[in-house]
Amino acid sequence: MSEDYLLKIENVSKYFINEFGEKIPVLEYLSLSIKNNEFYTIIGPSGCGKTTLLRILAGFDHQFTGNIYLPNKSIYKKNGKNSTLLGKVGYIPQEESLFPWLTIEKNVEFGLNYLQLPKNEKKKIVQNLLQLVGLEKYRKYYPKEISGGMKQKVVICRALALNPEYNLLLMDEPFSSLDSQSRNKMQEDLLDIWEKKKMSILFITHNIDEAVFLSDKISVMTKKPSKIKETIYVKIPRPRDRTSSEFNSIRKYLLNSLYQERE
Amino acid sequence: MIIMKMNEKGYLGKLKELKKSIYLTKRNKIIKVIKDISSISLSLLFFILIWYLIRYIPFFSVIPSPINVFKKFVILWSDGIFGVKLWQHVIISLGRVLLGFFYSFIIAVPLALLCGSVKIINRLITPIIDLLRPIPPIAWIPFAILLFGLSTLSYTFIIFIGAFFPLFQNTYDAIKSVKRVYKDVALSLGANKIQIISDVIIPSITPNIITGSKISIGVGWMCIIAAEMIGISSNTGIGLFIMIMQSIAQIDSMIAGMIMIGLVGILIAIMFQLIEKILFKWREK
């Protein structure tokens, strides 16, 4: 069987139980798939369960129904530890997540310490990655000493250092805490890393401009209980001009689509 | 206009400004130290003045003059009671505190870690701790004497009780407030449960453990003096020293002993400040 996807999820549903014991469905029969080397963005109204979905994919959350498929691997089972995605995909959370007690260098090295690697090899990986994002001279700094944009780059390096088995990064609104100027810069830098590393990215955002600038493919999520409402392909060549008419027409289309999903 | 001026100055002008600002920060530091020292000395002088004057109020006339106390302090440094000098009494008391604190540390911190990470243990232990916490350490003295007799073990036990709760509580609260995102990220980077404790939880709670230790040693220091005063008989300890001096009407020696306690407290605080400064450069102010 030929595999034309890197990760595929089918009919994933999840509910929370609130304080009154009622079931609150969050995700309902949600299906999507991401291809190799694809930049895939999911946008949706706030509180629609985007983060929940990503936590399931990252392997933190096992309380769901439905199936997750990986190429050449059978079904990703709910309770089977061996089949979780933990440690096999990179995870970039929304909150600030650098360990403040470690220097930049040690932060990037963090996951490498769990592999049996010789010291100089670890050092080389860290150095190459920091060079890739242009932060090698900050390697001895502590997180509190660098800017928000730099921190997110280090977080990306830390996820990439492990060379995630599926070469997939899951990013949960990674730039939402940045001001618009550094946000734009980070988007360009991320595309740069994505192209150099030839990897796949599943990106979550509520910022339409960001989605159109970055993605090959954009899915819109419905309000709760969420599923994928529609998926569009963005075929504008990169680097994209945010002021071009093509860019704007896609933006308008998505804006409309999201507008209908207001609570 | 301001922009014009900046441009006129040019590169060299800016360099000069930079040098000036470095010079200014250095000078400011020196000025700050001088200010600190002078304000502390002023406050001490004020204290001594009040001490001196208060003796003229009839009720306080038994208080010896600060000069006498200071003289006594110097003499006591090389002299003492029962052949033990004042500073030796202090060291002995401190040693008792540290011993009790040590036992408290090796039990409270691991226990807090267990309670913070294993739910069943938490449910089992927390009610017990909530029950025992309100009992003041001093109230344990008769119990300690009953168990350990009139020995160093009794002191150790009292300090253990006093130091245990602040240490446990600080550690436990810190574990509960470790951000979930740190644990998630560590998980996704391949850490297992034990590695999450050793590589994420312990480093992020170390500052709180140090804070807990500071409070614990403070409490321990109060307990030991009370314990030495109240009942556990022995020939040594700064608490006992003060008690005996009062009973033989050596008021200036008694006050010298009290001042000694204050000085040791300041020393402990300074030591912790240094430890925090060295260990926690990474902490946000």
Side-chain angles (χ1 to χ4, degrees):
Chain A
M1 182 168 86
S2 77
E3 317 280 358
D4 59 342
Y5 58 85
L6 177 65
L7 179 74
K8 184 162 85 171
I9 73 175
E10 258 177 24
N11 298 327
V12 165
S13 303
K14 160 143 191 108
Y15 58 83
F16 287 119
I17 291 177
N18 72 2
E19 51 198 310
F20 308 111
E22 296 166 292
K23 275 186 180 182
I24 306 290
V26 186
L27 305 173
E28 203 167 58
Y29 301 116
L30 190 145
S31 303
L32 58 84
S33 77
I34 175 163
K35 290 191 176 75
N36 253 319
N37 209 7
E38 190 172 49
F39 203 122
Y40 184 12
T41 299
I42 296 175
I43 57 175
S46 51
C48 73
K50 295 176 295 223
T51 299
T52 308
L53 172 65
L54 213 66
R55 285 180 59 81
I56 289 174
L57 291 178
F60 302 137
D61 192 341
H62 302 290
Q63 310 294 319
F64 64 92
T65 57
N67 295 315
I68 299 181
Y69 300 97
L70 292 164
N72 310 321
K73 272 225 170 146
S74 53
I75 305 151
Y76 163 61
K77 290 193 188 83
K78 283 193 286 182
N79 296 317
K81 277 221 158 161
N82 302 329
S83 49
T84 66
L85 290 167
L86 282 178
K88 292 173 184 165
V89 294
Y91 171 67
I92 317 279
Q94 179 176 7
E95 290 167 78
E96 216 178 283
S97 67
L98 284 183
F99 303 117
W101 58 90
L102 295 177
T103 58
I104 300 311
E105 184 174 52
K106 295 280 174 201
N107 259 291
V108 178
E109 200 188 292
F110 191 88
L112 295 173
N113 293 327
Y114 302 125
L115 307 173
Q116 307 300 324
L117 284 178
K119 227 180 182 176
N120 51 351
E121 197 171 326
K122 279 194 270 184
K123 218 172 178 178
K124 219 164 123 189
I125 295 173
V126 173
Q127 204 178 355
N128 285 342
L129 279 167
L130 287 178
Q131 229 153 31
L132 176 77
V133 298
L135 290 177
E136 68 272 42
K137 61 174 184 195
Y138 295 98
R139 60 181 218 282
K140 296 277 180 210
Y141 283 52
Y142 283 101
K144 69 164 185 185
E145 297 166 316
I146 61 175
S147 73
M150 288 174 178
K151 278 183 204 166
Q152 282 309 45
K153 280 190 205 174
V154 179
V155 174
I156 294 170
C157 287
R158 184 172 63 183
L160 291 177
L162 281 181
N163 217 348
E165 195 177 320
Y166 294 103
N167 211 7
L168 171 64
L169 273 194
L170 304 173
M171 307 183 83
D172 185 4
E173 303 194 30
F175 308 143
S176 59
S177 60
L178 305 179
D179 60 273
S180 66
Q181 213 169 353
S182 24
R183 190 176 183 136
N184 288 353
K185 175 78 170 62
M186 278 303 293
Q187 290 163 4
E188 287 161 27
D189 291 347
L190 177 63
L191 283 179
D192 193 45
I193 297 169
W194 171 68
E195 273 161 13
K196 279 182 188 154
K197 284 274 171 186
K198 301 206 183 324
M199 56 184 180
S200 320
I201 292 179
L202 181 61
F203 194 93
I204 280 178
T205 183
H206 57 253
N207 183 321
I208 295 171
D209 183 88
E210 186 167 75
V212 182
F213 184 78
L214 292 171
S215 323
D216 294 323
K217 190 162 98 184
I218 302 172
S219 285
V220 182
M221 264 170 109
T222 62
K223 65 187 168 201
K224 246 189 282 188
S226 309
K227 46 182 149 239
I228 300 293
K229 181 186 180 192
E230 59 179 329
T231 300
I232 62 163
Y233 289 84
V234 184
K235 298 242 161 87
I236 312 171
R238 294 186 176 93
R240 290 174 183 163
D241 177 4
R242 290 175 213 263
T243 54
S244 72
S245 59
E246 275 170 300
F247 196 98
N248 267 320
S249 65
I250 296 174
R251 179 159 48 191
K252 239 178 231 163
Y253 179 81
L254 289 174
L255 199 60
N256 248 324
S257 181
L258 260 186
Y259 191 74
Q260 292 158 12
E261 295 303 327
R262 283 180 315 164
E263 298 257 0
Chain B
M1 278 308 282
I2 292 164
I3 295 166
M4 287 279 287
K5 268 186 188 166
M6 285 278 280
N7 285 342
E8 278 162 19
K9 270 186 192 162
Y11 176 69
L12 275 178
K14 272 181 201 159
L15 200 69
K16 259 185 198 164
E17 263 179 17
L18 193 72
K19 273 186 183 164
K20 201 175 163 191
S21 76
I22 290 169
Y23 168 73
L24 277 177
T25 49
K26 259 189 194 168
R27 211 182 59 171
N28 285 344
K29 262 186 193 164
I30 295 167
I31 289 174
K32 197 179 168 291
V33 170
I34 294 171
K35 264 187 187 168
D36 283 354
I37 290 174
S38 46
S39 81
I40 290 172
S41 346
L42 210 70
S43 128
L44 285 180
L45 268 176
F46 181 62
F47 173 69
I48 291 168
L49 185 75
I50 289 180
W51 180 356
Y52 197 82
L53 292 178
I54 208 170
R55 296 164 48 248
Y56 293 101
I57 304 172
F59 204 63
F60 296 105
S61 56
V62 285
I63 299 175
S65 91
I67 299 154
N68 285 351
V69 170
F70 182 73
K71 279 183 190 160
K72 202 70 194 182
F73 199 84
V74 176
I75 295 168
L76 281 171
W77 197 257
S78 49
D79 194 14
I81 53 163
F82 307 131
V84 182
K85 292 165 190 163
L86 177 58
W87 67 268
Q88 287 168 327
H89 283 290
V90 171
I91 296 289
I92 288 165
S93 295
L94 253 184
R96 287 170 180 159
V97 171
L98 289 181
L99 191 67
F101 168 75
F102 171 76
Y103 286 120
S104 189
F105 190 91
I106 58 171
I107 294 178
V109 173
L111 192 65
L113 268 171
L114 267 176
C115 285
S117 27
V118 186
K119 254 190 197 151
I120 299 171
I121 296 184
N122 190 19
R123 292 224 172 117
L124 186 72
I125 300 292
T126 312
I128 303 173
I129 288 187
D130 287 341
L131 174 70
L132 297 182
R133 195 203 335 258
I135 306 172
I138 308 302
W140 288 85
I141 290 179
F143 184 77
I145 294 175
L146 194 70
L147 280 187
F148 305 109
L150 303 171
S151 69
T152 310
L153 263 180
S154 285
Y155 287 123
T156 313
F157 181 74
I158 300 303
I159 306 304
F160 171 82
I161 297 283
F164 182 87
F165 296 103
L167 207 48
F168 179 87
Q169 204 58 43
N170 267 282
T171 311
Y172 180 79
D173 291 347
I175 294 166
K176 285 288 155 196
S177 61
V178 173
K179 281 203 237 159
R180 185 174 77 170
V181 70
Y182 293 152
K183 295 181 223 166
D184 281 353
V185 165
L187 261 179
S188 85
L189 292 171
N192 60 31
K193 271 192 176 160
I194 291 169
Q195 286 160 336
I196 284 182
I197 292 180
S198 67
D199 297 350
V200 176
I201 294 181
I202 289 180
S204 62
I205 65 174
T206 320
N208 307 69
I209 295 179
I210 300 287
T211 309
S213 303
K214 183 162 67 180
I215 299 169
S216 284
I217 288 183
V219 172
W221 188 229
M222 285 183 202
C223 293
I224 190 66
I225 285 159
E228 286 168 349
M229 282 182 169
I230 291 179
I232 304 174
S233 115
S234 140
N235 286 339
T236 49
I238 180 73
L240 182 83
F241 177 89
I242 293 169
M243 237 13 219
I244 287 181
M245 287 306 159
Q246 191 259 353
S247 66
I248 59 173
Q250 291 270 345
I251 306 304
D252 34 7
S253 297
M254 178 189 97
I255 291 183
M258 287 166 68
I259 289 175
M260 199 65 187
I261 294 175
L263 289 178
V264 172
I266 291 178
L267 268 180
I268 292 174
I270 290 175
M271 198 188 71
F272 272 102
Q273 258 178 20
L274 279 179
I275 292 176
E276 284 172 346
K277 215 175 188 178
I278 293 165
L279 281 181
F280 307 124
K281 274 184 270 179
W282 53 269
R283 256 189 141 180
E284 311 248 3
K285 288 273 153 59

